Amino acid sequence: MKFEYCPICGTKLIEKYSFDEGGVPYCAVDDMMYFDTPKPCIIAAVIKEDKILLLKQSYIFKNSKVLVSGYVTNGETVEETVRREVKEETGITVGEIKYLGSEYLKSREIIMLTFMAKYESGHIHKSSEVEWVEWGSLEDALCEMSEDEIGKRIVKKVLNEIGYKGQKAFRCDNGACSINE
């Protein structure tokens, strides 16, 4: 988010030099600098043995499955966000959570903190914001996530993290998958 007006007093901000940050929006009335703030979001690959939890949310992608994701709430750690979002969207409880890195979605100014979370307990109970949720094969996930480039990168990290040596070698072209012979 780029600030144009002071969120405290409403004054139009001016640019002020800030050593290593360069020009930063500044409120002379409140003597406050406002640095750009991307929205923090989590995205989690939930793993159960050789399965991965996949969702369908058409408002994100029309023809692709996705991973659990959601915005971080004030007062909450990112690990708490992972647990909350997985529980809210799927009814599943996760145990061990591992940070895998971050992605930046420029079009929406979102910093996506990526995680792998291990299934602990529960049965799938999808929320109203999810059209469909099911355990899918790790081997098939990359092809099922045809439009979700960030999700596919996370699945590749998970496969590497767990040392997965799959049975199939897939080629995905424009959403169509085939087995490499």
Side-chain angles (χ1 to χ4, degrees):
M1 168 193 274
K2 295 189 184 289
F3 290 92
E4 290 184 46
Y5 296 90
C6 176
I8 297 171
C9 70
T11 301
K12 177 118 174 99
L13 300 175
I14 59 173
E15 185 176 74
K16 182 175 180 180
Y17 181 76
S18 170
F19 304 103
D20 60 342
E21 298 296 324
V24 175
Y26 172 75
C27 177
V29 174
D30 293 305
D31 190 28
M32 181 76 69
M33 290 184 152
Y34 293 96
F35 297 89
D36 290 350
T37 55
K39 297 175 283 267
C41 177
I42 64 90
I43 184 166
V46 179
I47 306 299
K48 178 182 180 183
E49 299 161 2
D50 64 343
K51 304 283 184 201
I52 186 167
L53 198 58
L54 296 174
L55 292 74
K56 179 73 176 101
Q57 293 176 298
S58 292
Y59 71 92
I60 297 175
F61 292 110
K62 283 283 183 213
N63 301 306
S64 184
K65 294 177 184 169
V66 297
L67 302 174
V68 173
S69 63
Y71 290 100
V72 178
T73 301
N74 278 332
E76 169 178 78
T77 68
V78 292
E79 294 82 3
E80 289 169 338
T81 304
V82 170
R83 292 181 200 293
R84 176 181 54 78
E85 285 292 340
V86 171
K87 188 72 167 175
E88 284 177 3
E89 292 184 5
T90 71
I92 299 293
T93 300
V94 294
E96 181 184 339
I97 296 172
K98 182 166 186 166
Y99 177 68
L100 299 176
S102 64
E103 299 276 343
Y104 184 70
L105 187 57
K106 185 176 181 176
S107 64
R108 298 187 56 204
E109 294 183 338
I110 297 173
I111 184 77
M112 301 186 87
L113 305 167
T114 69
F115 295 88
M116 177 174 74
K118 291 191 178 176
Y119 167 85
E120 186 172 271
S121 64
H123 298 286
I124 294 174
H125 297 287
K126 73 172 193 68
S127 78
S128 59
E129 69 179 288
V130 175
E131 295 161 45
W132 176 93
V133 58
E134 212 171 86
W135 291 107
S137 164
L138 267 170
E139 287 187 338
D140 298 337
L142 293 174
C143 289
E144 293 184 38
M145 301 174 74
S146 58
E147 297 173 83
D148 187 359
E149 294 302 319
I150 291 174
K152 286 193 281 190
R153 284 195 294 273
I154 295 165
V155 171
K156 288 176 184 175
K157 288 179 184 180
V158 166
L159 292 171
N160 186 54
E161 188 69 33
I162 65 175
Y164 188 75
K165 304 291 184 226
Q167 302 295 317
K168 304 174 190 174
F170 284 103
R171 185 180 73 245
C172 301
D173 299 311
N174 299 325
C177 297
S178 59
I179 298 174
N180 287 337
E181 302 294 343

